[in-house]
């Protein structure tokens, strides 16, 4: 759901990578293979630029009615509008460019709702009704605009009528395999290059400076629909990585080719809902973006194996899942199911009936969920180094988000229980931790650039290394890497043992460009706990004082055409004196991203 800055060794990795874990954790003990997901990865998650409303220009009218969320479909029905006219494939008229919120990696903050009507050539969402709001972010499948984070979430059935075809690649999106078109194939692909320069990776824990890292990702997908109720989806993915003064690449960066996703889905209508079940290997994004964003920034994003079932009514949806993380291997077609890292639970979302605020359409979602983690290797912080062990975490939470007229907001609270089991039959410790996350912004829709100006704040608990080996542990665990655009573009800080607050500004200077500016200021929640690298990995630094630093950052995205997106991101990590005295180093970070998608 990103080029890395800290990279975590597992036993199968090279000696150089094992050295990095030692630097980060202050211990010579490297976790075993199939450890907690990001303990085996170079994990900076430079994903998901904060979502903005791209436009201002009104979409042309069509023969189909549109909902407030901008989709031309109602629950239980496939979109079948007719849109006439053609345009140059590389110079789309502004009103036919997909919104910036449909960029495949856009799944972060703020959650701007797409409440103005958009044409079917701009959106390819499924039959999810009100849950298609915010370019589908409420559906549980990630954003689904012109393209999607999870490509199988796109619905191209409107191209059954050839009069709806507007793009020179549309013939690849609907390949009829029978006379009626009820059996059809959709092909998809993406080529992505990300280049990164960083002054001091992992706050200097890596003994390198002025590092340039370059990675490529290529994926090809095929979505076979066998009538209304059954479909098969498969996706091959390959990753390459190089750079200057590079270090730490593993199988999530260099992967010849493998099945990134391969599942069968059965869907039907029961009890007034659209219900479905998916079994196999798949991406999974039905969690708040501050929990996980798919970790799509390494060459190879997260991939999960197991079972998922969902039900969608008019205003309520329910998702149940039991998944195991994929373990990646460099050799072609050697990826395996990682039974020692599991994610299971349930997610529900209720769409409050639409209402008016300040004369503007409003839509609020109330989400309740339970997330369970089983991690065979998940060390906790000690006064020096770490204590090796495994953990079971239970994380119930509530999230309220959406918009009340021009006010865009999200508020999320989680409590985390469970146990930590020390390795080698050591003592067991109960867990009691919490996380509160909130942002609120005002959208000035009539101003130039439709700016959104607001503030973001988080309060996430930390532990106390002075307590006994059997006492309750208070560090909130965030093992699956949130969106980099949620807090830290350079991905040096994880959402553990942290308090942060800062201004947040988004701007759309033109219909196909967007700008994100933020300046989060960070403190440690507990001065008796360390700071954390993404994936729950402990730094060896033991600073004094609570203040940690400030992270001024900016991101610019240009949606050149339907198929070409370019973005530039930058950040400076300014650290407190206490953290610098502990050995951490401040520094600049810069990246460019180029994506070609069909």
């Amino acid at each position: 759901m990103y080029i890395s800055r800290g990279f975590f060794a597992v036993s199968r990795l090279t000696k150089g990578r094992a050295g990095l874990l030692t630097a980060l954790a202050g211990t010579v003990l490297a976790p075993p293979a199939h450890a907690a997901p990001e303990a085996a990865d170079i994990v900076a998650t430079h994903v998901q630029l904060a979502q903005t409303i791209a436009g201002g220009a009104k979409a042309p009218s069509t023969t189909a009615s549109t909902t407030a969320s901008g989709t031309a479909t109602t629950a239980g029905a496939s979109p079948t509008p007719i849109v006439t006219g053609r345009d140059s494939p590389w110079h789309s008229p502004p009103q036919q460019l997909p919104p910036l919120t449909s960029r495949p990696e856009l799944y972060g903050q703020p959650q701007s709702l797409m409440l103005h009507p958009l044409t079917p050539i701009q959106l390819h969402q499924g039959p999810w009704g009100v849950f298609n709001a915010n370019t589908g972010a409420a559906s549980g499948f990630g954003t689904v605009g012109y393209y999607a984070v999870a490509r199988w979430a796109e619905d191209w059935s409107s191209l059954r009528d050839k009069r709806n075809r507007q793009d020179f690649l549309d013939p690849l999106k609907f390949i009829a395999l029978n006379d009626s078109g009820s059996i059809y194939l959709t092909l998809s692909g993406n080529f992505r290059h990300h280049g990164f320069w960083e002054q001091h990776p992992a706050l200097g824990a890596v003994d390198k400076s002025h590092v340039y890292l370059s990675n490529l990702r290529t994926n090809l997908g095929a979505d076979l629909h066998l009538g209304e109720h059954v479909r098969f989806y498969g996706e091959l993915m390959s990753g390459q990585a190089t750079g200057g003064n590079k270090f730490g690449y593993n199988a999530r960066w260099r992967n010849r080719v493998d099945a990134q996703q391969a599942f069968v889905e059965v869907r039907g209508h029961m009890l007034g809902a659209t219900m479905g079940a998916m079994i196999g290997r798949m991406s999974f994004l039905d969690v708040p973006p501050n929990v996980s964003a798919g970790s799509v920034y390494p060459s190879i994003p997260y991939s999960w194996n197991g079972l998922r079932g969902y039900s969608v009514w008019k205003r309520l949806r329910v998702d149940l899942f039991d998944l195991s993380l994929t373990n990646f291997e460099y050799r072609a077609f050697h990826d395996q199911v990682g039974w020692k890292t599991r994610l299971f639970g349930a997610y529900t979302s209720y769409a409050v009936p639409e209402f008016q605020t300040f004369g503007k359409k409003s839509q609020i979602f109330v989400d309740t969920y339970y997330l369970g983690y089983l991690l065979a290797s998940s060390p906790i912080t000690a006064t020096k180094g770490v204590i090796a062990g495994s953990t079971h975490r239970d994380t119930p939470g509530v999230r309220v988000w959406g918009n009340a007229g021009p006010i865009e907001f999200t508020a999320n609270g989680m409590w985390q229980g469970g146990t930590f089991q020390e390795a080698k039959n050591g003592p067991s410790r109960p867990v009691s931790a919490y996380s509160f996350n909130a942002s609120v912004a005002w959208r000035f829709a009539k101003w130039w650039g439709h700016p959104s100006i607001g503030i973001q704040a988080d309060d996430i608990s930390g532990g106390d290394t002075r307590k006994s080996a059997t006492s309750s542990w208070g560090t909130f665990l965030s093992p699956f890497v949130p969106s980099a655009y949620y807090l830290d573009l350079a991905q040096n800080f994880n959402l553990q043992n942290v308090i942060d607050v800062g201004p947040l500004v988004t701007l759309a200077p033109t219909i196909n460009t967007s700008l994100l500016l933020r300046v989060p200021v960070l403190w440690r929640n507990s001065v008796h706990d360390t700071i954390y690298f993404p994936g729950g990995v402990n730094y060896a630094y033991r600073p004094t004082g609570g203040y940690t630093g400030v992270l001024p950052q900016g991101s610019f995205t240009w949606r050149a055409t339907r198929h070409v997106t370019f973005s530039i991101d930058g950040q400076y990590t300014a650290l407190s004196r206490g953290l610098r005295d502990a050995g951490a180093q401040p520094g600049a970070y810069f990246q460019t991203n180029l994506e070609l998608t069909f």
Side-chain angles (χ1 to χ4, degrees):
M1 219 234 139
Y2 340 75
I3 263 187
S4 75
R5 255 110 335 257
F7 310 94
F8 312 104
V10 292
S11 60
R12 68 172 182 264
L13 299 183
T14 65
K15 179 179 179 181
R17 299 182 189 123
L20 173 60
L21 184 67
T22 302
L24 288 173
T27 174
V28 297
L29 296 175
H34 315 313
E38 295 304 348
D41 303 329
I42 305 178
V43 251
T45 53
H46 302 84
V47 218
Q48 290 98 353
L49 176 61
Q51 300 188 5
T52 62
I53 294 179
K58 293 184 178 180
S61 60
T62 71
T63 60
S65 61
T66 56
T67 68
S69 60
T71 178
T73 175
T74 58
S78 298
T80 56
I82 296 175
V83 181
T84 59
R86 292 184 177 274
D87 57 89
S88 166
W90 301 108
H91 299 89
S92 305
Q95 72 272 17
Q96 293 187 5
L97 279 170
L100 283 167
T101 48
S102 71
R103 178 185 167 199
E105 293 186 355
L106 290 177
Y107 187 58
Q109 300 285 28
Q111 296 283 359
S112 307
L113 296 183
M114 298 294 295
L115 293 176
H116 56 289
L118 296 173
T119 67
I121 61 172
Q122 293 175 299
L123 294 173
H124 295 285
Q125 301 174 331
W128 312 126
V130 68
F131 295 102
N132 281 331
N134 195 25
T135 322
S139 67
F141 302 132
T143 53
V144 187
Y146 197 80
Y147 299 120
V149 177
R151 303 302 303 275
W152 47 262
E154 301 167 6
D155 185 343
W156 295 84
S157 60
S158 64
L159 299 184
R160 181 178 288 111
D161 189 320
K162 294 184 179 180
R163 290 173 293 177
N164 288 338
R165 299 186 179 184
Q166 300 290 309
D167 188 76
F168 75 119
L169 290 176
D170 278 352
L172 298 178
K173 312 307 291 183
F174 189 94
I175 303 173
L177 301 180
N178 65 349
D179 291 339
S180 67
S182 61
I183 300 176
Y184 69 93
L185 180 69
T186 294
L187 301 179
S188 61
N190 174 264
F191 171 83
R192 189 184 71 171
H193 174 266
H194 285 186
F196 316 84
W197 177 87
E198 189 164 15
Q199 192 172 3
H200 295 295
L203 303 181
V206 178
D207 189 22
K208 287 181 179 288
S209 62
H210 301 283
V211 172
Y212 174 74
L213 302 175
S214 175
N215 82 289
L216 304 175
R217 185 180 78 189
T218 304
N219 65 286
L220 296 173
D223 193 359
L224 177 61
H225 292 253
L226 302 179
E228 179 184 356
H229 302 294
V230 179
R231 63 98 167 253
F232 294 87
Y233 181 80
E235 183 175 279
L236 297 178
M237 188 170 290
S238 175
Q240 301 81 39
T242 185
N245 206 20
K246 62 183 182 296
F247 65 98
Y249 285 136
N250 63 17
R252 284 198 64 200
W253 292 94
R254 290 173 169 166
N255 195 305
R256 289 184 174 179
V257 65
D258 216 307
Q260 175 71 8
Q261 300 188 71
F263 65 84
V264 59
E265 178 184 11
V266 178
R267 181 194 299 180
H269 304 286
M270 295 177 59
L271 304 176
T274 298
M275 296 186 177
M278 303 161 61
I279 184 169
R281 179 172 295 177
M282 66 194 77
S283 61
F284 184 76
L285 291 169
D286 200 9
V287 293
N290 59 294
V291 173
S292 178
S295 188
V296 299
Y297 212 62
S299 304
I300 309 299
Y302 282 146
S303 178
W304 299 89
N305 306 268
L307 177 66
R308 175 181 189 173
Y310 61 85
S311 299
V312 182
W313 287 268
K314 182 179 180 180
R315 295 201 171 274
L316 175 68
R317 70 172 182 87
V318 178
D319 193 359
L320 305 174
F321 46 90
D322 189 352
L323 305 166
S324 296
L325 192 68
T326 300
N327 288 330
F328 295 98
E329 301 287 346
Y330 174 72
R331 294 177 295 171
F333 298 105
H334 274 72
D335 293 350
Q336 302 172 354
V337 177
W339 299 108
K340 295 184 178 181
T341 299
R342 284 181 56 200
L343 168 65
F344 53 91
Y347 201 103
T348 72
S349 182
Y350 174 70
V352 175
E354 296 171 14
F355 57 96
Q356 296 280 325
T357 305
F358 297 106
K360 298 180 180 294
K361 295 178 181 178
S362 304
Q363 180 65 71
I364 292 176
F365 296 91
V366 179
D367 302 350
T368 58
Y369 54 89
Y370 162 78
L371 306 175
Y373 309 148
L374 287 177
L375 305 176
S377 178
S378 182
I380 63 173
T381 304
T383 304
K384 293 183 178 180
V386 298
I387 302 172
S390 60
T391 194
H392 169 202
R393 298 289 176 104
D394 299 303
T395 311
V398 176
R399 181 180 181 220
V400 181
W401 64 282
N403 80 303
I407 304 171
E408 300 167 357
F409 68 94
T410 179
N412 183 60
M414 294 177 280
W415 176 82
Q416 194 169 77
T419 58
F420 169 78
Q421 178 63 55
E422 189 173 331
K424 298 181 179 180
N425 296 318
S428 177
R429 303 178 66 166
V431 172
S432 181
Y434 66 86
S435 174
F436 295 112
N437 324 95
S439 67
V440 61
W442 188 289
R443 175 73 61 180
F444 295 89
K446 295 183 179 181
W447 290 13
W448 173 83
H450 315 287
S452 171
I453 302 175
I455 190 170
Q456 177 181 314
D458 301 276
D459 181 7
I460 305 169
S461 67
D464 189 339
T465 59
R466 302 171 303 171
K467 290 185 175 182
S468 71
T470 57
S471 64
S472 176
W473 182 244
T475 301
F476 186 86
L477 177 63
S478 180
F480 301 125
V481 183
S483 163
Y485 293 92
Y486 183 83
L487 178 66
D488 179 9
L489 286 174
Q491 285 293 273
N492 291 317
F493 295 95
N494 198 30
L495 294 177
Q496 296 181 226
N497 189 35
V498 63
I499 297 173
D500 66 85
V501 64
L504 171 66
V505 177
T506 65
L507 183 72
T510 69
I511 196 170
N512 64 339
T513 61
S514 69
L515 180 66
L516 165 69
L517 301 171
R518 76 166 83 224
V519 188
V521 182
L522 280 62
W523 296 263
R524 285 185 294 158
N525 177 290
S526 169
V527 296
H528 302 294
D529 194 1
T530 186
I531 58 174
Y532 289 83
F533 195 87
V537 174
N538 320 60
Y539 280 104
Y541 305 129
R542 297 296 184 268
T544 58
Y547 172 62
T548 300
V550 60
L551 311 176
Q553 57 193 252
S555 302
F556 175 78
T557 298
W558 174 37
R559 186 84 188 222
T561 76
R562 297 174 183 176
H563 307 287
V564 181
T565 303
F566 179 74
S567 65
I568 300 174
D569 307 319
Q571 173 176 299
Y572 186 79
T573 302
L575 301 178
S576 67
R577 178 178 296 274
L579 197 49
R580 285 184 279 119
D581 289 346
Q585 298 183 62
Y589 168 80
F590 178 81
Q591 76 171 23
T592 62
N593 317 294
L594 175 65
E595 296 195 44
L596 308 177
T597 308
F598 75 88

